[in-house]
Amino acid sequence: MASYNLTYDFKETLVGQSRTFNDKGNDQTITLTLNSKANNSGGRSDEYVVQLQAQAQRMWFTVKTASFPRNGTKTVKFTDMVGTAYRLRFEKSTDDVRVTGTGVMSN
């Protein structure tokens, strides 16, 4: 089993580093738990979006998407994932709200 601790800090878009998940072949579940805090209120949304991107032939493709609260904790399970390298892409509206947090990504 692979498990990676995450820290993040972004105002618009953040692309995380590559993480390898090959332990369980082509039928694995990747679990993502994020605990976020927004530095001020009044943004355009109470959530942000995280894309799970897989690497294939040195290119990155979005394979799953989930929304997370700007303030609080949420866990999402991505099922039927193949063994490969993955990364997270964090996106939110350009409303000058800074989101920071920690999390864990595991299979």
Side-chain angles (χ1 to χ4, degrees), residues 25-30 52 54 63-64 78-83 86:
N26 291 332
D27 187 22
Q28 59 187 325
T29 297
I30 295 176
L52 179 66
V63 292
K64 302 281 184 169
F78 302 110
T79 59
D80 301 320
M81 306 307 297
V82 300
Y86 290 94

Side-chain angles (χ1 to χ4, degrees), residues 40-104:
N40 57 14
S41 61
R44 295 182 188 158
S45 174
D46 291 333
E47 297 183 327
Y48 62 93
V49 173
V50 175
Q51 298 173 2
L52 179 66
Q53 296 184 325
Q55 186 176 32
Q57 299 177 355
R58 294 186 288 180
M59 296 181 68
W60 292 96
F61 300 92
T62 298
V63 292
K64 302 281 184 169
T65 303
S67 62
F68 286 83
R70 289 185 180 192
N71 288 292
T73 302
K74 182 176 177 180
T75 298
V76 173
K77 293 182 183 282
F78 302 110
T79 59
D80 301 320
M81 306 307 297
V82 300
T84 190
Y86 290 94
R87 71 181 185 187
L88 299 174
R89 186 173 194 269
F90 297 76
E91 287 186 342
K92 59 174 254 344
S93 58
T94 56
D95 56 10
D96 207 36
V97 174
R98 183 177 181 180
V99 177
T100 60
T102 59
V104 176

